[in-house]
Amino acid sequence: MTEVLPFLSQHIVEIFRFLGQHIEAVYILALSILLGIEVISNVPAVLHTPLMSGANAIHGVVIIGAIIVMGHAEPDNYLALILGFLAVVMGTLNVVGGFVVTDRMLEMFKKKK
Amino acid sequence: MEFQENLLHLLYFLASVSFIFGLKMLSNPKTARNGNLIAAAGMTLAIIGTLFLYHSPEGKPIGNLPWIFTGIIIGTIIGTLMAKRVKMTSMPQMVSFFNGMGGACAALISVNEFGKYTQSNYAETLFNSEVLMILLGIMIGSVSFAGSMIAYGKLEGKIKDYVLPRQQLFNTVLLLIILGLGAFIMSQTEGNLGLLYVVMFLSLVYGVLFVLPIGGADMPVVISLLNSFTGLAAAFGGFLYGNKAMLTGGILVGSAGTILTILMCNAMNRSLLNVLVGAFGGQSGAAGAAHAGELGVAKEVSLNDCAILCNYAQRVMVVPGYGLAVAQAQHITHEFESVLEARGVEVKYAIHPVAGRMPGHMNVLLAEADVAYDKLLEMEEANPLFKNTDVVLVIGANDVVNPAAKDDPTSPIYGMPILDVDESKTVVVLKRGMSAGYAGIENRLFFNDNTRMLFGDAKSSIEKLVRELKNL
């Protein structure tokens, strides 16, 4: 017991330090979760598919990470270059394909007559 | 350079706001299309800003630009072509494919980022938040990629449902091994790249096994879930780089995607767990078959009789299902509707929330065929109208009109809200044969006194119906 307690408190201190250092991210996390729930809650079933597709395109924002990785890969580090290049291509597919498919779905919701 | 940095912050902020507004607008039919465009514009700003304004903490700008541009151009061309060419019936698998790409992208970023931890530092273990984010990014990204590809294959009809013996136990053990290896990597003082690849490989296997046993009809729920997974993986990346646009975009999709998944499950009156464990089908099929003989004989109707029924009706209600999508019968159905409307028959469509293979699937398909938006009734609007409907045409739908959902507690679909088509004067069911629907259960509706069967492929049946109608 006497050994476990300092060990635990050490970790609790670590966790608090982590939270303190990243408090901004923690705020963003909490608010984004609430926003996400709020934004979706009243959607009619008709729009489930386009909404899912639109959300799918939005997480394509991961491409920014791919650009950063690729942009800072050493020019002689071929493995990093190849992986980064693949990541950029796939990320772009996610973004472009996602938005175009969503637009095609929604194009059809125009009111006729 | 400080100016560039602040400008980039502003662009990321605009992107985050555009994602929020975009999602909000996407949840209303009137504003949906603009919402999508706004989110796309925000995304473009964020990407261009990153390309030209981003500097690493050491102050280095983005290098390798020719490579990056080549990648973006290739991705744009392929993505646009795929998205433009895909048939409306194949939309769900397309979304799944693009989702998988995002997951793979997140996993690859993490693999690359791990590179800087491969040199031994002999001082501290890798137990820090950055390595944690890298590991989570790899695990979730890989699961999302592999799962999405399986979902894609299933909806394309290339991969069959497959359940391993003791699958749930096996999956759980596999998951524990993956997490254990992750913890082991973090407890070392030197990053072990080989072990990281093992984690990635096992995560891919887990993604495959996670989706493989789940039935094709439940794929939309799975795709939506994997969608929120990829959102999370993107958010981990955002954490890694302290990038607010990635963080907000990823989390937003993560939470919205989770809620959407639950909404889809609710529409089928099932829990997410029930979908994931795959309790549908299987055992219920045998039970249903045993009842089949007791239900009596289904009565057929001739094309001519059916045409006459519709021609002299006041209101005809069409209930579309997956069969209509498979047969590509949406255009001919619209023609059928126009012919009847020209003769003063009121025609409406009753759309069950989970008709087809994806919520909203039928609306998209019928809209493609120029069916007016106000002719499409949701279940709550349609149900009170069936009492005063002369003919209901059930085209390739089955489980969503099965009365067992209302009065047979032993039925696997018991409790799912259905379209009350049996309250109308006559129900005509267009179907290929007497086989059961996706849930694998018999449908008592087919044996009702006021139900008539019209066997055959939906498209050719309706084509013939239209011809008969024109001859009347």
Side-chain angles (χ1 to χ4, degrees), chain B residues 414-429:
Chain B
Y414 180 69
M416 179 171 90
I418 58 160
L419 292 164
D420 303 320
V421 293
D422 50 348
E423 289 179 2
S424 64
K425 290 208 187 79
T426 314
V427 182
V428 177
V429 179

Side-chain angles (χ1 to χ4, degrees), chain B residues 27-240:
Chain B
S27 48
N28 184 325
K30 287 199 189 93
T31 53
R33 201 171 176 199
N34 287 332
N36 185 50
L37 293 179
I38 286 177
M43 184 73 76
T44 315
L45 279 186
I47 292 174
I48 294 178
T50 309
L51 281 172
F52 297 109
L53 301 173
Y54 184 86
H55 290 82
S56 70
E58 298 87 46
K60 273 201 319 192
I62 295 285
N64 299 318
L65 276 176
W67 278 81
I68 297 178
F69 276 113
T70 316
I72 291 181
I73 290 169
I74 293 178
T76 306
I77 293 174
I78 302 179
T80 313
L81 283 182
M82 287 180 87
K84 288 260 182 208
R85 289 206 178 152
V86 62
K87 282 202 216 87
M88 270 301 156
T89 39
S90 309
M91 280 302 173
Q93 47 265 53
M94 197 78 269
V95 174
S96 183
F97 178 83
F98 291 136
N99 180 46
M101 291 297 111
C105 179
L108 289 179
I109 292 171
S110 292
V111 172
N112 256 350
E113 278 298 313
F114 192 72
K116 65 176 158 203
Y117 288 97
T118 48
Q119 283 98 24
S120 168
N121 57 38
Y122 296 112
E124 302 171 58
T125 60
L126 299 183
F127 188 81
N128 61 47
S129 57
E130 195 161 311
V131 176
L132 180 67
M133 293 301 143
I134 290 176
L135 286 171
L136 288 175
I138 287 193
M139 291 173 191
I140 298 188
S142 305
V143 168
S144 180
F145 168 69
S148 299
M149 288 303 124
I150 297 295
Y152 171 79
K154 281 203 173 195
L155 287 171
E156 283 282 288
K158 287 179 185 144
I159 299 172
K160 295 268 171 296
D161 301 351
Y162 190 74
V163 187
L164 292 168
R166 299 188 176 260
Q167 173 111 36
Q168 293 312 323
L169 182 69
F170 188 78
N171 282 8
T172 313
V173 171
L174 185 61
L175 186 63
L176 289 177
I177 292 176
I178 295 172
L179 293 176
L181 280 177
F184 180 74
I185 289 179
M186 289 184 76
S187 71
Q188 302 299 102
T189 55
E190 184 182 339
N192 187 336
L193 199 57
L195 213 50
L196 191 79
Y197 284 126
V198 174
V199 168
M200 184 158 145
F201 175 74
L202 291 181
S203 304
L204 289 172
V205 173
Y206 183 79
V208 171
L209 294 179
F210 176 66
V211 179
L212 211 49
I214 302 174
D218 289 331
M219 275 309 119
V221 177
V222 175
I223 296 173
S224 177
L225 188 68
L226 292 173
N227 196 19
S228 63
F229 279 9
T230 313
L232 277 186
F236 293 136
F239 204 87
L240 214 51

Side-chain angles (χ1 to χ4, degrees), chain A residues 18 24 28-29 33 36 40 46-47 49 52 55-56 59 64 66 69-73 80 87 92 94 99 103-104 108, chain B residues 29 33 36 60 63-64 67 83-84 86 88 99 102 105 109 112 129 227 241 243-244 251 255-256 358-359 367 378:
Chain A
F18 176 82
E24 210 183 334
I28 293 180
L29 182 87
I33 291 177
I40 295 289
V46 188
L47 282 173
T49 304
M52 177 164 101
N56 173 46
H59 68 48
I64 292 180
V69 159
M70 182 75 185
H72 295 131
T92 315
N94 187 179
F99 280 121
D103 191 58
R104 265 195 68 194
M108 298 172 174
Chain B
R33 201 171 176 199
N36 185 50
K60 273 201 319 192
N64 299 318
W67 278 81
K84 288 260 182 208
V86 62
M88 270 301 156
N99 180 46
C105 179
I109 292 171
N112 256 350
S129 57
N227 196 19
Y241 299 113
N243 187 309
K244 308 286 186 301
I251 295 287
S255 78
M358 198 167 240
E378 290 197 30

